[in-house]
Amino acid sequence: MNETFIERAYGRVNLIGEHTDYNGGWVLPTAIPQFTEVTLTKRKDRKIILKSSKDRYFSYELGNEKHKGSWVDYLQGATKILAAGKHRISGFEATIHSTMPEGSGLSSSAALEISFLKTITKAFELNLSAVEMARIGQQIENEFVGARVGIMDQMACSLAIIGEALFLDTYNLTFEKIKLPLDQMDLLVINSGISHRLSAGGGYNERRAQCEEACSILEIKHLRDISIEDLQKKDLPELLMKRARHVVTENARVHEAVLSLKNSDLIYLGELFYASHRSMKDDYDVSIPEIDLLVELCSLDKMTFGARLTGGGFGGSVVAVTKNGEADRIGQAVTAEYRMRTGIKATILS
C-alpha cells in the first residue's frame, strides 16, 4: 500500500496592517483555528488527481498545467513552479479538506497553497523552508492565478500560530512573534457572509497599481520609504494621495499595535483598530456597507475595545478585540442584529 502523507495549514486573521504587504510594509497577522488539510499518495506516472471534500474533482498531467479560473489553479501553479525550480516530483493523488469559508478574507487560498506545498515537500523530500514555501505561494498567486498579492498571507499560513501575532516586515521577511495577552482579551472574527474576490483585474490589482503610480511620482521604491509628514508635503493627485495616506498611516499603526500588545494596552489597541477601519473605508475605499455595519455593531458594546475590516476588502470579515470572556456574547448579539437589519447570516469564526 502506498504511504499516505498528511499536512495542514491554518488560516490567518490580520490584526492590523492591511494592503501594506505589497507596499513593502509591516503586518501583524495571527493564526485562527480554521485550517486546510491535504492528504497525498504518490503515483508512479505523471498524472495528478485532485479531490475536494466538497465533491470537486480535477486531474491533469504534470507539466500540462493550464489556467482554469477555479480553486485548482492554486495547486496547478504549485506543481508548475516546483518543476520549473528543478524540484523532482511525480504524479500523485491528493484530497483537500478545509474548514475555512472561501471568500472570508482569512487566507483560504494561502492556506490551500501552503498545506499543499507542505504535503508535497514531505512526500517528495524536498528541501523547502517555511519562508521558501511562502515565496512560492505568492508566486502562484502573482504569476499563475493573476492576483498581485503581497506575501503576508503565505508567511502567516507558514509561520503563525494561535496565541501569537506575527510582526512581519514584508520587505526583508524578518519577523518577531508577539504573545497575545489572552488573559485580558479575546479575538472575535465574524464572516460577513459576503464573499470577497481578489481576482485579476479586480479592485485589489487596481489598488496596487495606484500605489505603484504614487511611488513613481514620489520617486521612491515603496510607500514604506516615506513618512506621513513628508507625504503631506508632496503634490499627488487626490486619489493617489488617499491611497498612499492609508498605507503610510497603516504602517505606523502596525508599529503602535505591537507596542500596545507588549504593554497590554488594549484600549489604545482598540483605537488603532477603529482608525485602521476608517482609513480602509475612506482613503482606500475597500470596505462595504455590510462590513461597516458589523464594525459599528461591535463598537456599540462597551466590552469591545476595537473592530475593523480584516483582509483585502470588498466583503469578507471583521476582527474585533474584546474584553476576555466577552467575545462569544458580543458575537452572538452582533450577528443577530446584523441578520435582522440585512437579512444576511454572518458567522462567528473565532
Side-chain angles (χ1 to χ4, degrees):
M1 180 177 288
N2 290 338
E3 185 177 0
T4 298
F5 302 89
I6 304 174
E7 292 289 331
R8 67 171 51 171
Y10 289 89
R12 69 97 186 99
V13 60
N14 192 25
L15 300 181
I16 200 164
E18 225 66 74
H19 292 276
T20 53
D21 59 344
Y22 55 81
N23 285 293
W26 292 266
V27 293
L28 193 66
T30 187
I32 58 175
Q34 287 74 26
F35 63 88
T36 297
E37 184 175 85
V38 174
T39 302
L40 182 149
T41 56
K42 294 192 284 187
R43 297 171 58 94
K44 294 182 179 180
D45 57 16
R46 294 177 62 81
K47 187 173 185 178
I48 294 174
I49 298 175
L50 304 173
K51 302 174 184 177
S52 165
S53 56
K54 297 178 180 177
D55 295 324
R56 296 181 294 191
Y57 172 94
F58 184 76
S59 66
Y60 64 98
E61 290 288 324
L62 188 62
N64 193 34
E65 295 87 353
K66 295 179 181 178
H67 183 82
K68 296 292 182 181
S70 71
W71 64 279
V72 299
D73 287 348
Y74 299 103
L75 311 183
Q76 288 193 101
T79 58
K80 182 176 183 177
I81 290 167
L82 287 173
K86 310 301 182 184
H87 296 289
R88 297 177 64 88
I89 62 175
S90 66
F92 55 84
E93 296 185 16
T95 300
I96 296 94
H97 169 68
S98 181
T99 63
M100 296 188 61
E102 296 178 23
S104 59
L106 301 171
S107 296
S108 59
S109 61
L112 175 59
E113 294 155 6
I114 298 302
S115 59
F116 191 60
L117 288 167
K118 286 172 69 175
T119 313
I120 292 176
T121 296
K122 186 175 182 179
F124 294 99
E125 299 180 347
L126 307 181
N127 185 26
L128 291 175
S129 68
V131 173
E132 287 171 325
M133 283 187 274
R135 287 189 184 278
I136 292 172
Q138 183 191 25
Q139 190 179 355
I140 291 167
E141 303 245 16
N142 291 173
E143 299 178 8
F144 198 85
V145 176
R148 301 184 65 208
V149 300
I151 201 169
M152 173 185 68
D153 292 355
Q154 290 77 16
M155 286 289 286
C157 291
S158 292
L159 292 163
I161 62 173
I162 295 172
E164 291 183 351
L166 187 73
F167 177 35
L168 171 67
D169 183 331
T170 64
Y171 180 72
N172 56 30
L173 299 189
T174 57
F175 59 88
E176 178 185 359
K177 293 189 175 182
I178 311 295
K179 187 175 181 180
L180 300 177
L182 295 179
D183 58 330
Q184 301 175 53
M185 60 168 272
D186 284 345
L187 279 181
L188 171 62
V189 181
I190 301 175
N191 179 10
S192 68
I194 299 177
S195 179
H196 78 157
R197 291 289 181 267
L198 301 186
S199 57
Y204 189 96
N205 286 349
E206 181 183 58
R207 296 303 185 282
R208 181 162 185 165
Q210 290 165 345
C211 290
E212 290 171 352
E213 185 180 355
C215 285
S216 177
I217 295 171
L218 294 168
E219 298 183 330
I220 57 177
K221 185 174 182 180
H222 297 292
L223 286 173
R224 69 176 275 153
D225 298 328
I226 191 169
S227 68
I228 187 61
E229 292 78 15
D230 288 339
L231 177 64
Q232 290 170 341
K233 299 173 185 175
K234 302 295 183 179
D235 184 22
L236 279 177
E238 183 181 359
L239 180 63
L240 297 186
M241 178 61 81
K242 288 174 60 180
R243 303 299 189 248
R245 184 168 58 218
H246 164 73
V247 174
V248 174
T249 58
E250 187 79 346
N251 276 324
R253 284 187 286 269
V254 174
H255 288 271
E256 291 295 306
V258 169
L259 292 175
S260 297
L261 286 171
K262 289 181 176 180
N263 296 328
S264 297
D265 187 351
L266 301 179
I267 292 176
Y268 186 47
L269 180 66
E271 292 173 358
L272 293 168
F273 270 43
Y274 288 131
S276 173
H277 183 76
R278 287 192 298 271
S279 182
M280 293 179 74
K281 175 178 179 288
D282 298 332
D283 279 347
Y284 224 64
D285 295 320
V286 293
S287 191
I288 60 174
E290 293 83 358
I291 291 288
D292 295 337
L293 176 59
L294 283 173
V295 171
E296 178 188 354
L297 292 174
C298 286
S299 73
L300 295 177
D301 195 293
K302 63 182 180 180
M303 294 299 175
T304 299
F305 294 111
R308 60 181 290 276
L309 165 64
T310 186
F314 312 105
S317 301
V318 302
V319 59
V321 178
T322 74
K323 186 175 177 60
N324 177 259
E326 298 290 340
D328 186 63
R329 178 188 62 78
I330 294 171
Q332 295 294 341
V334 166
T335 53
E337 181 68 16
Y338 175 79
R339 187 166 190 176
M340 186 180 74
R341 293 198 195 185
T342 66
I344 301 169
K345 182 181 179 181
T347 54
I348 300 169
L349 298 176
S350 178

